[in-house]
Amino acid sequence: MTKTNDIQVNLTAKDLATDQDVRWCPGCGDYSILKQLQSTLAEANISKEDTVFVSGIGCSSRFPYYMDTYGIHSIHGRATALASGLKASRPDLSVWIITGDGDSLSIGGNHLIHLLRRNFDVNILMFNNEIYGLTKGQYSPTSPKGQTTKSSPMGSLDHPFNPAALVLGASATFVARSMDRDPKHMREILKAADSHKGTSFIEIYQNCNVFNDGAFEVFTDKGTKADNVILLEEGQPLIFGADSDKGIRFEGMKPVIVSLSDVSKDDLWIHDSKDETKAYFLSKMFDEPGSEGAMPRPFGVFYQEDRFRYEEAMNEQIDRAISLKGKGDLDKLIRGSSTWKV
Amino acid sequence: MTKVTEKKEDVIILFAGDSGDGMQLTGSLFTNTSALYGNDISTFPDFPAEIRAPLGTVAGVSGFKLHFASVDIFTPGDDVEVLVAMNAAALKANLHQLKIGGTIIANTAGFDKKNLRLAKYDNEQSPLLDKSLDKFRVIELDVSKMTREALVDSGLGTKEVDRCKNMYVLGFLFWMYNRTLENTETFIKEKFAKKPDIRDANIKVLKSGYFFGDTNETFTTRFEVESAHLPKGEYRSIMGNQATAIGLIVAAKKANLDLFYGSYPITPASDILHELARHKNYGVKTFQAEDEIAAVCASIGASYGGAIGVTASSGPGIALKGEAIGLAVMLEIPLVIINVQRGGPSTGLPTKTEQSDLMQAINGRNGEAPLVVIAPHSPSDCFHTIIEATRISIEHMVPVMYLSDGFIANGSEPWKFPAAEDIKEIKPNFADAEKSLEDGAFYPYARDERLVREWATPGMKDLQHRVGGLEKDFKSGNVSYDPANHERMVKVRQEKVDRIADFIPEQKIEQGEDQGDILVIGWGSTYGASRTAVRELINEGHKVSQAHIKYLNPFPKNLFDVMKNFDKVLIPEINNGQLINLINAKYDLRAIPFNKIKGLPFTSREIKEKLLELLS
């Protein structure tokens, strides 16, 4: 009963909006992400009916209501599990998972890592605001240690997750980071995720202006951004700084910051998103901004790899079973291997 | 010396030994041969909870009970006639099941000092040597020694030789019950086709056991159980979990949908997963999820995509799935949830049977979240009942809970199987743009007269819509916090389930008159024991009848009319009283509970005695 429809032509971002009022707080970073995704998918000329948005619970998880595609707003932490079954049964669909730091890394942590190792061809957009917004401001698994929140008046005791390192550890085949305040960058990353075959994981730094305002300001503010952000470009050296005067190179097994007045560009670390070891080092560039010897925070595609997709392997097994045993015959199944007559 | 053959109507043999002694296989082989002789059969394995409990201990005893008969039977039976005890622990664990005058076939090698100590016999005193077994007939066979002697020239090692000893016992029993070895020999030849020395050894030992009975002058009597007068037709032997699995495949094909089975391993449900995974050539997609919650959520995702999503577990796993099942209630999409019940609460008794999850099935979710609940009553009935569960789920866009249990799941019986073409088609209520759009708009929660909404799956053009766990507007399906709408939706979801009563068969009386002194009414696996008990009482002239409920929510419309014509209604359950709460709460009736909570099924005698007590 699967119908594959023709690709719609000349979609605009507006065609992807629904008649529902968007209910995020004014000034929320989610608006920007919604807008960038609508533009990116319109540009990609997706087929609306072959696209499904799946979300869990949290502010970000309202997302499907605002996309004129198919959508399920499921239960807390389980979007990844639900999407696995959907993609397994319908490999033809384009599936987007919208989740947050609490939804995917706390209550749904288990399903996230298993989805990644299975490598279903789906996209995960993890809106990281380092706070629980929908429940009105408790610390999340990505909140920095010591953060004062409603549930941690004396500071949070939890050591935070490093999402990029976590997903690489779970064998993710596409790992990227972007931010709500850089629309152009986000559209590029969304486009790259869409074209990746396998699970794409994008961490998006998203400002919660009500409960955790300014959490990522150091990476987005014009005055501090240049010294704290490194934008990854394929095949290009790792350069940052207000005057593009700093770079990163490997000294032995250790990435260090060097001044371009001392070191030639040719000796810098060249970004290669196919290199798993380099990706690991990028993920570990997770220092607290401004701390002693802090490395800049990387944004862009850390890693991508082509590995078999679960849903394809599942169908291949079925095809193989059919070629070995023949297409299933119900009467044979019901009879079994041994019968007798009375 | 002349040997005489005595006829018997039915016999119960219990094969018991260490979990490594091959008792399950021995029992199965005797079962298969008996089936070929046309006997009616009912079997039940009794495993230890540990895969390899310490050798020689009571905890490590594995049993296989076989009831075969020349009359029709419905349970693995009450009184064991022959107890095969491969060691002292096997005797100790099962002696209470042996009827007075019954036969013990004891492997004397399993009664040495070490085995007696492990089985905790006082002072290592062998029961074979004191007078404690005087009420029984004891046949002592040194199975280990005779197996070794039979294979002295085989060239096999001691370990391999000892593994053949179950064949000696089997051969002896085949002699005792006048069976040929042919069927078992064929099995051995196929199983060990690539290991000729093992094949020959097993066959040799099997024959040695048979010849021992034939030539030894101690044994003068053989028994014969003639074929039963089963309805004419072609039969196979079927276990409950197997029937559930193949029923699912048939149901999906009859609905022309892909079958997606998301499950996490748990006793005693895992065999359904194993069986389905063998049938990928039927297009079955099995997904061994990372946990119970993922299993049900993946199945919901598959159903959302237009497949029939099925998930299975046992009680503890169903508890974990509760929130997601509530989501399926809200989404109003098909989902079949299988619970192969075991002893609870918590981890409880994983390998033992119980019917204690009925309340969980009816109520075990947050909010007003009605489910359809349906239960098979025997191994072969699993086939028809899972198809029925799937039909209701797909045609009524509603999650259905199917309550099997360990007793049905692992039990087996002969099954006069149907032809595939005789099974009704299942008709999904798919939307399509041509009929489903109203002035160009799609209303995913618009309903027909059954209150069933349409199934619009991704890929259907112009029917894009969003669903989720938040309360829905009655028609558009958009999120709604309107107070009146919520009340209306709660009532609609309930009414939708209630109206399914119009689409299920009326409750019938299984046996006996439609009025009388006592009606025995049960559900699930108590069927066989009630059936046997009531049949005996009817034959003895009592006004007793039996009914058995398959549809537990909603109940058949005429259920009260069936019950009210009896002076008393007895409800036997393997729990502390769950169906009875539903019935006494709903109907103007004081049914009488009869409960057993020992991890074991009812025997028919227990039910019969209870009925006699109520009749007097």
Side-chain angles (χ1 to χ4, degrees):
Chain A
M1 40 126 286
T2 305
K3 288 191 290 184
T4 309
N5 297 294
D6 300 332
I7 301 284
Q8 283 135 357
V9 282
N10 300 328
L11 270 186
T12 66
K14 251 189 183 165
D15 295 327
L16 285 167
T18 64
D19 60 353
Q20 298 294 292
D21 296 328
V22 182
R23 294 192 178 202
W24 291 311
C25 307
C28 176
D30 290 0
Y31 285 93
S32 165
I33 306 173
L34 176 63
K35 202 171 155 208
Q36 306 326 321
L37 193 61
Q38 284 172 342
S39 321
T40 308
L41 294 183
E43 217 172 283
N45 254 330
I46 62 149
S47 147
K48 296 205 285 186
E49 61 272 15
D50 292 328
T51 304
V52 185
F53 278 81
V54 184
S55 65
I57 295 293
C59 293
S60 59
S61 289
R62 285 241 162 188
F63 205 96
Y65 294 120
Y66 311 136
M67 295 294 294
D68 188 26
T69 60
Y70 281 85
I72 309 188
H73 178 206
S74 75
I75 48 178
H76 205 7
R78 321 297 172 204
T80 32
L82 195 147
S84 299
L86 175 62
K87 188 69 184 177
S89 72
R90 291 290 304 277
D92 58 309
L93 299 173
S94 170
V95 177
W96 295 76
I97 296 162
I98 308 295
T99 182
D101 40 321
D103 191 58
S104 67
L105 296 178
S106 203
I107 192 167
N110 195 29
H111 311 309
L112 174 71
I113 56 178
H114 289 277
L115 171 65
L116 291 167
R117 77 182 165 92
R118 292 185 183 117
N119 198 34
F120 284 102
D121 184 16
V122 298
N123 310 288
I124 306 172
L125 272 52
M126 196 273 276
F127 298 15
N128 183 7
N129 55 16
E130 298 187 350
I131 197 82
Y132 281 107
L134 194 65
T135 50
K136 298 189 168 60
Q138 299 82 13
Y139 62 95
S140 91
T142 53
S143 300
K145 183 164 184 291
Q147 177 152 335
T148 307
T149 69
K150 277 189 192 152
S151 58
S152 56
M154 295 172 70
S156 142
L157 298 174
D158 286 30
H159 181 79
F161 263 136
N162 172 344
L166 177 83
V167 301
L168 275 171
S171 311
T173 61
F174 180 99
V175 180
R177 181 186 289 139
S178 190
M179 54 187 131
D180 56 0
R181 297 275 170 89
D182 190 342
K184 189 169 160 277
H185 185 262
M186 203 195 309
R187 286 200 297 273
E188 277 168 25
I189 298 296
L190 291 170
K191 218 171 133 184
D194 187 28
S195 51
H196 173 69
K197 288 197 58 130
T199 309
S200 311
F201 179 88
I202 312 176
E203 178 188 22
I204 303 173
Y205 283 172
Q206 172 251 321
N207 188 44
C208 173
N209 57 325
V210 174
F211 296 107
N212 199 18
D213 196 23
F216 305 109
E217 203 168 4
V218 67
F219 306 121
T220 56
D221 184 80
K222 276 196 181 116
T224 51
K225 183 174 177 174
D227 283 329
N228 290 289
V229 165
I230 192 150
L231 289 170
L232 304 172
E233 286 180 65
E234 193 68 22
Q236 297 300 313
L238 267 58
I239 295 175
F240 68 107
D243 304 315
S244 298
D245 56 348
K246 289 183 272 191
I248 297 172
R249 77 164 178 188
F250 278 102
E251 289 183 0
M253 284 297 281
K254 197 173 155 53
V256 294
I257 297 170
V258 293
S259 166
L260 288 188
S261 52
D262 308 330
V263 174
S264 151
K265 274 187 186 175
D266 300 340
D267 293 335
L268 294 179
W269 169 349
I270 305 296
H271 180 51
D272 176 4
S273 66
K274 305 281 190 320
D275 186 326
E276 199 176 353
T277 310
K278 282 182 173 168
Y280 168 79
F281 281 105
L282 286 173
S283 76
K284 297 304 267 187
M285 289 165 64
F286 196 62
D287 304 313
E288 199 190 320
S291 63
E292 177 76 26
M295 300 292 275
R297 194 72 57 99
F299 289 80
V301 179
F302 287 38
Y303 183 62
Q304 49 191 330
E305 172 197 342
D306 187 31
R307 194 176 74 220
F308 78 90
R309 272 74 52 188
Y310 188 99
E311 67 274 18
E312 289 169 13
M314 195 176 214
N315 280 334
E316 278 164 26
Q317 266 197 354
I318 288 173
D319 292 343
R320 201 163 77 235
I322 291 170
S323 73
L324 287 172
K325 300 188 198 170
K327 212 167 170 115
D329 172 90
L330 287 187
D331 280 309
K332 252 167 113 177
L333 176 77
I334 297 171
R335 286 173 61 88
S337 54
S338 157
T339 67
W340 68 93
K341 282 201 170 118
V342 171
Chain B
M1 165 168 191
T2 339
K3 306 224 172 186
V4 291
T5 301
E6 191 182 306
K7 281 198 173 127
K8 283 195 173 274
E9 197 171 73
D10 70 326
V11 171
I12 300 162
I13 304 179
L14 174 58
F15 299 88
D18 252 329
S19 50
D21 278 341
M23 291 296 100
Q24 303 298 327
L25 177 67
T26 312
S28 304
L29 289 172
F30 199 97
T31 304
N32 294 346
T33 293
S34 300
L36 291 176
Y37 273 80
N39 296 139
D40 198 1
I41 285 166
S42 177
T43 73
F44 185 61
D46 187 15
F47 312 110
E50 294 79 17
I51 301 301
R52 285 280 184 269
L55 284 178
T57 64
V58 171
V61 174
S62 168
F64 185 97
K65 198 176 191 184
L66 162 64
H67 188 187
F68 61 108
S70 60
V71 292
D72 45 340
I73 51 172
F74 309 99
T75 72
D78 300 356
D79 296 322
V80 171
E81 167 141 347
V82 178
L83 170 61
V84 175
M86 296 300 282
N87 63 15
L91 181 74
K92 192 165 192 185
N94 293 296
L95 188 60
H96 66 279
Q97 298 197 58
L98 188 64
K99 70 175 186 187
I100 306 289
T103 300
I104 298 165
I105 299 177
N107 172 22
T108 50
F111 286 80
D112 60 10
K113 291 259 181 230
K114 187 179 167 201
N115 272 292
L116 291 165
R117 189 176 68 246
L118 287 167
K120 301 202 167 132
Y121 273 98
D122 290 341
N123 305 320
E124 295 165 19
Q125 174 64 45
S126 172
L128 301 178
L129 302 176
D130 62 23
K131 295 192 178 228
S132 63
L133 302 177
D134 281 359
K135 290 180 289 183
F136 310 103
R137 173 176 178 230
V138 181
I139 299 175
E140 292 183 28
L141 301 178
D142 193 339
V143 179
S144 305
K145 187 175 153 206
M146 288 187 279
T147 301
R148 284 176 194 174
E149 279 175 9
L151 296 180
V152 72
D153 300 324
S154 67
L156 294 174
T158 318
K159 210 171 165 186
E160 286 158 320
V161 166
D162 284 353
R163 268 202 202 127
C164 297
K165 65 178 191 264
N166 57 338
M167 289 299 126
Y168 192 89
V169 177
L170 185 60
F172 180 71
L173 280 165
F174 277 144
W175 173 80
M176 211 167 136
Y177 289 96
N178 228 352
R179 305 300 202 210
T180 65
L181 304 180
E182 197 186 336
N183 182 51
T184 298
E185 282 185 61
T186 308
F187 170 86
I188 294 171
K189 281 175 190 161
E190 280 171 18
K191 184 172 166 81
F192 298 112
K194 288 182 185 151
K195 295 177 181 167
D197 46 345
I198 304 276
R199 174 196 64 201
D200 296 346
N202 274 287
I203 290 175
K204 184 156 191 210
V205 174
L206 179 74
K207 286 182 174 167
S208 302
Y210 189 93
F211 295 146
F212 179 76
D214 212 18
T215 54
N216 193 302
E217 299 196 347
T218 327
F219 309 112
T220 54
T221 314
R222 305 173 80 175
F223 304 96
E224 176 139 356
V225 178
E226 293 183 330
S227 57
H229 297 287
L230 297 170
K232 278 207 172 7
E234 195 172 10
Y235 285 76
R236 65 168 288 184
S237 170
I238 190 98
M239 288 174 77
N241 274 346
Q242 201 180 19
T244 300
I246 65 175
L248 280 173
I249 297 173
V250 172
K253 291 275 180 226
K254 289 287 169 179
N256 200 20
L257 298 178
D258 289 338
L259 173 62
F260 180 92
Y261 185 83
S263 165
Y264 184 76
I266 186 170
T267 303
S270 307
D271 282 338
I272 303 173
L273 173 63
H274 306 161
E275 181 71 20
L276 285 172
R278 292 176 53 224
H279 298 298
K280 290 197 175 173
N281 59 324
Y282 289 81
V284 178
K285 289 185 173 171
T286 56
F287 180 66
Q288 184 177 315
E290 59 271 22
D291 62 27
E292 296 283 2
I293 298 172
V296 62
C297 287
S299 301
I300 291 172
S303 281
Y304 181 75
I308 173 65
V310 182
T311 189
S313 190
S314 190
I318 299 295
L320 287 167
K321 295 179 197 289
E323 186 195 11
I325 296 170
L327 174 66
V329 169
M330 208 68 162
L331 297 178
E332 301 187 44
I333 54 169
L335 177 71
V336 177
I337 308 125
I338 295 169
N339 180 352
V340 185
Q341 299 166 95
R342 64 190 216 185
S346 186
T347 311
L349 301 169
T351 59
K352 307 292 172 190
T353 195
E354 208 161 272
Q355 295 185 300
S356 49
D357 296 342
L358 177 58
M359 285 308 183
Q360 182 194 41
I362 300 278
N363 295 319
R365 291 158 298 285
N366 63 305
E368 303 282 352
L371 282 193
V372 175
V373 182
I374 180 169
H377 67 242
S378 75
S380 67
D381 186 53
C382 288
F383 178 81
H384 302 285
T385 306
I386 196 70
I387 292 174
E388 185 65 352
T390 312
R391 180 184 73 81
I392 293 171
S393 184
I394 292 171
E395 294 188 348
H396 293 265
M397 295 288 280
V398 69
V400 175
M401 177 78 80
Y402 165 92
L403 286 180
S404 175
D405 66 31
F407 182 45
I408 294 177
N410 289 318
S412 79
E413 63 182 358
W415 178 36
K416 187 167 170 289
F417 52 87
E421 64 173 14
D422 294 338
I423 294 158
K424 269 199 313 190
E425 300 293 320
I426 295 174
K427 299 188 182 83
N429 195 38
F430 282 126
D432 80 70
E434 280 186 18
K435 65 162 185 169
S436 307
L437 290 177
E438 208 178 306
D439 297 328
F442 176 54
Y443 297 100
Y445 277 73
R447 295 161 195 281
D448 65 14
E449 68 291 347
R450 303 168 303 162
L451 300 177
V452 175
R453 77 180 191 94
E454 288 182 328
W455 196 6
T457 59
M460 292 183 181
K461 203 168 165 56
D462 298 330
L463 301 180
Q464 296 95 280
H465 64 283
R466 275 63 55 191
V467 292
L470 286 169
E471 184 59 284
K472 308 261 154 299
D473 176 75
F474 179 75
K475 191 171 177 190
S476 69
N478 288 331
V479 175
S480 168
Y481 297 117
D482 179 65
N485 179 73
H486 175 55
E487 185 162 308
R488 185 180 187 191
M489 286 299 276
V490 166
K491 291 199 184 287
V492 161
R493 284 186 289 262
Q494 181 65 53
E495 179 65 20
K496 181 172 106 164
V497 168
D498 293 345
R499 282 191 194 178
I500 289 170
D502 294 334
F503 300 88
I504 60 174
E506 292 208 326
Q507 183 62 49
K508 64 176 202 298
I509 295 274
E510 201 69 37
Q511 54 174 342
E513 302 297 322
D514 57 13
Q515 55 185 334
D517 295 335
I518 307 179
L519 176 70
V520 179
I521 191 158
W523 66 283
S525 65
T526 58
Y527 175 82
S530 292
R531 174 104 197 225
T532 307
V534 170
R535 182 174 64 180
E536 287 175 17
L537 287 171
I538 290 172
N539 289 342
E540 289 163 24
H542 294 286
K543 288 181 183 164
V544 178
S545 299
Q546 183 199 9
H548 207 73
I549 305 177
K550 180 185 291 281
Y551 299 89
L552 293 153
N553 193 44
F555 282 136
K557 285 189 288 187
N558 65 330
L559 181 59
F560 182 64
D561 296 333
V562 166
M563 295 188 295
K564 72 178 186 201
N565 295 329
F566 292 84
D567 291 344
K568 289 174 181 163
V569 172
L570 179 72
I571 303 186
E573 292 182 84
I574 306 294
N575 59 36
N576 204 21
Q578 300 198 7
L579 174 64
I580 197 165
N581 284 343
L582 296 176
I583 285 187
N584 283 345
K586 182 157 183 171
Y587 303 111
D588 181 19
L589 183 90
R590 295 307 306 167
I592 301 160
F594 184 42
N595 305 102
K596 177 173 178 179
I597 326 164
K598 295 179 167 150
L600 294 167
F602 274 115
T603 64
S604 56
R605 189 193 305 126
E606 286 165 339
I607 293 178
K608 188 177 175 184
E609 280 169 2
K610 180 70 185 178
L611 286 167
L612 284 170
E613 177 198 316
L614 291 173
L615 284 165
S616 63

